[in-house]
Amino acid sequence: MDQATIYERHADAYDALIAVEDVDGRLMPAIESIAAIDGAAILDVGCGTGRISRLVAARARRVVGVDRARAMLDVAARHRGKGSHGGSWEIMRAD
């Protein structure tokens, strides 16, 4: 099974798996060590289910998440609809 098929068929399982990856809260400090988040325009290429987009949305000026897998973006859209992340962000499908 190729990568595209896996992401299309198992988007919810992928999202559940990565949801627990940052239990220590180290992801945001790691991102900030590379680039400033506050007020930035951020393009999240390969955003998948939107984990990074959700994380930075409350502090960035604008966030656009791009992915080629429709199922992954559907999961990201569900998260975005919940609004629990703060801030707003856009989702786009592109290859």
Side-chain angles (χ1 to χ4, degrees):
M1 189 178 312
D2 67 354
Q3 179 189 38
T5 303
I6 291 169
Y7 288 146
E8 286 298 332
R9 292 184 184 172
H10 303 288
D12 286 311
Y14 172 87
D15 188 58
L17 179 69
I18 65 158
V20 295
E21 284 185 342
D22 190 32
V23 295
D24 296 329
R26 296 181 183 177
L27 185 54
M28 182 61 95
I31 293 169
E32 290 177 305
S33 73
I34 298 166
I37 301 299
D38 293 325
I42 297 172
L43 176 61
D44 184 2
V45 177
C47 71
T49 60
R51 177 176 63 144
I52 303 297
S53 295
R54 291 191 310 269
L55 188 63
V56 300
R59 295 177 42 199
R61 177 175 44 86
R62 182 178 182 199
V63 178
V64 177
V66 178
D67 203 285
R68 68 180 182 171
R70 171 59 56 203
M72 299 288 270
L73 293 174
D74 289 344
V75 174
R78 288 197 308 263
H79 284 296
R80 185 182 60 184
K82 292 176 186 175
S84 60
H85 49 76
S88 64
W89 47 291
E90 302 169 50
I91 299 170
M92 301 175 81
R93 185 167 187 253
D95 193 359

